[in-house]
Amino acid sequence: MSGLYLHIPFCRKACTYCDFHFSTSLQTKPAVLEAMHAELAQRAAELNGATVETIYFGGGTPSQLTDAELKAFIDQARTLFTLTPDAEVTMEVNPDDVDAEQLAVWKSIGITRLSIGVQSFREERLQFMGRAHDAAQSRESLRLISAAGFASWTMDLIYGLPGMTMDEWNEQLDTALSFAPPHISAYCLTVESKTALDHQVSKGLVTMPGDADQAAQFERLIERLEGAGYVQYEISNFGQPGHFSRHNSSYWKGVPYLGIGPSAHSYNGTKRRWNVSHNLRYAQGISAGTTYWEEETLTPVQVTNEALLTGLRTSWGVDLSALPLDLLEARSPTVVHYRSQGLLEHSDGRLVLTKAGRAFADRIASDLFLTDDR
Ligand code: SF4
């Protein structure tokens, strides 16, 4: 096992586009945290002192936890696992939780990398998305983080917003780059089912931009960030050399990981398991000793397809020799087709998307997917 993920399912406010599992009430916090410590202990015992190279506090909003609550998880992980000396310990934070004193404390308890949910530097956009912070906090938090001396840090941005012009997107990227972040994740706004945004779109209150506008902004993103020295090592992730997310890279490479907390997923190389996305049912399941998760054993077809879906989104591509099934034997005409269109390369036993192919990553992967009868 390489990575440990801890899902902290609490947020100050519900963002309109978000379909992650979280609660805006802290009522269940004591029970959930107690259950998470219990789950961590139980599952670590099954793994028998495995080595952990990365810890990731995600959510939700981990910066909703007190310093003592965060430290308790890091301390527990240190006692249960062999933590490598250069372990990457990432925490997702929101701008409204950042100040100089807080940053110093997070660093002192062992957080090495911060992931800050900026999303936009424009007031009206933050309000539209229902973010809990304002534009001044976006800027100030970045100024403080860049001076705080963390080994690495990253910011999230959102593009493809209704009515977003290329001028606005350029301005957003200019502002982001002015803080010289070691890493940037940029996501196109998508309408997830049952979110407030979904409701607004279906009522005709919000009109989403067309695919062409979103694709043009994606192209501009790549052009601007590559021009500034960032490597697009995954479709939505850009890092300066030496600053790629080790934790997320492990997911994309198919390395086993352990996920703790409500809704958290785990993968042990053959089985995928996911905890119930409900705070109380999760906590009660753990205290009562009843099942609070579901799991499935992946078939060779599923393992191959997952490797395609995640691998094709990365700059290192898909290692064909590591797949349980011979993909080329089954999908050779599709590979030939995309190679002839200049969207896919096949060399040194790997399939890698070309620069032009990156805009079609998911479609190319699904065209290559195997089925049970191949
Ligand atoms: S802060 Fe993050 S997890 Fe919470 S609602 Fe907003 S996007 Fe979702």
Side-chain angles (χ1 to χ4, degrees):
M1 193 189 75
S2 161
L4 168 63
Y5 174 79
L6 296 136
H7 188 83
I8 310 300
F10 304 102
C11 293
R12 189 162 285 133
K13 230 181 133 187
C15 301
T16 60
Y17 55 87
C18 181
D19 73 340
F20 293 141
H21 170 67
F22 66 92
S23 164
T24 51
S25 157
L26 293 178
Q27 218 179 342
T28 58
K29 190 167 109 169
V32 167
L33 297 189
E34 190 185 327
M36 286 178 68
H37 282 293
E39 185 190 10
L40 189 51
Q42 278 166 20
R43 298 189 64 196
E46 290 159 18
L47 290 166
N48 204 11
T51 299
V52 165
E53 293 171 26
T54 63
I55 299 177
Y56 194 104
F57 287 95
T61 309
S63 48
Q64 288 275 285
L65 294 196
T66 65
D67 305 332
E69 287 165 344
L70 285 164
K71 184 172 182 299
F73 282 117
I74 297 175
D75 290 348
Q76 191 187 12
R78 282 189 196 286
T79 61
L80 295 171
F81 300 103
T82 307
L83 213 60
T84 54
D86 65 342
E88 174 191 270
V89 184
T90 303
M91 178 168 73
E92 291 178 352
V93 302
N94 276 340
D96 41 316
D97 291 323
V98 172
D99 62 41
E101 199 184 324
Q102 186 59 74
L103 288 167
V105 175
W106 287 334
K107 210 166 141 208
S108 75
I109 63 174
I111 305 290
T112 65
R113 181 175 183 270
L114 291 181
S115 172
I116 179 153
V118 167
Q119 319 309 356
S120 177
F121 297 100
R122 282 199 177 189
E123 206 61 61
E124 73 278 12
R125 295 302 192 181
L126 295 169
Q127 282 171 16
F128 165 74
M129 291 189 274
R131 301 286 302 171
H133 60 99
D134 61 27
Q137 286 171 315
S138 291
R139 286 184 164 78
E140 178 62 3
S141 60
L142 291 178
R143 191 186 68 74
L144 292 170
I145 286 177
S146 63
F150 283 87
S152 196
W153 60 276
T154 178
M155 74 168 87
D156 284 356
L157 292 176
I158 294 183
Y159 63 95
L161 291 158
M164 186 181 232
T165 61
M166 199 57 93
D167 280 351
E168 178 184 341
W169 185 221
N170 273 325
E171 168 212 280
Q172 295 295 300
L173 291 169
D174 284 342
T175 309
L177 289 171
S178 71
F179 293 97
H183 186 286
I184 295 178
S185 300
Y187 302 99
C188 186
L189 183 69
T190 50
V191 183
E192 303 293 348
S193 123
K194 296 187 186 140
T195 58
L197 179 62
D198 182 26
H199 179 75
Q200 291 166 339
V201 170
S202 61
K203 291 270 169 214
L205 302 171
V206 166
T207 306
M208 288 296 289
D211 290 350
D213 284 342
Q214 293 188 327
Q217 287 163 23
F218 177 61
E219 265 178 45
R220 181 61 55 88
L221 167 75
I222 297 172
E223 190 185 301
R224 293 289 314 273
L225 295 194
E226 287 189 343
Y230 293 80
V231 179
Q232 186 186 21
Y233 68 105
E234 198 269 348
I235 291 290
S236 307
N237 287 277
F238 300 77
Q240 296 281 0
H243 289 279
F244 299 177
S245 163
R246 285 166 51 201
H247 185 85
N248 290 335
S249 295
S250 291
Y251 290 156
W252 302 323
K253 287 176 179 164
V255 178
Y257 56 89
L258 176 63
I260 300 292
S263 83
H265 284 233
S266 304
Y267 177 60
N268 70 1
T270 51
K271 277 186 188 167
R272 189 171 36 204
R273 160 174 162 159
W274 55 100
N275 289 347
V276 63
S277 296
H278 190 284
N279 287 0
L280 266 188
R281 270 189 257 147
Y282 166 77
Q284 283 164 354
I286 288 182
S287 63
T290 53
T291 308
Y292 55 89
W293 73 89
E294 290 180 74
E295 66 181 12
E296 67 175 341
T297 302
L298 298 182
T299 65
V301 167
Q302 286 173 309
V303 172
T304 304
N305 289 346
E306 286 209 359
L308 270 172
L309 191 65
T310 50
L312 275 187
R313 292 175 60 91
T314 65
S315 57
W316 53 86
V318 181
D319 178 2
L320 294 169
S321 69
L323 299 182
L325 297 173
D326 189 340
L327 179 79
L328 286 186
E329 190 183 75
R331 286 288 175 272
S332 182
T334 315
V335 172
V336 169
H337 168 72
Y338 282 121
R339 285 182 71 191
S340 70
Q341 292 198 335
L343 302 177
L344 188 64
E345 278 169 2
H346 173 209
S347 62
D348 299 332
R350 289 183 172 270
L351 284 184
V352 187
L353 291 179
T354 62
K355 198 168 179 175
R358 292 178 209 164
F360 308 103
D362 291 348
R363 196 183 86 201
I364 295 172
S366 76
D367 283 352
L368 289 166
F369 277 174
L370 301 180
T371 54
D372 284 332
D373 54 6
R374 312 290 146 82

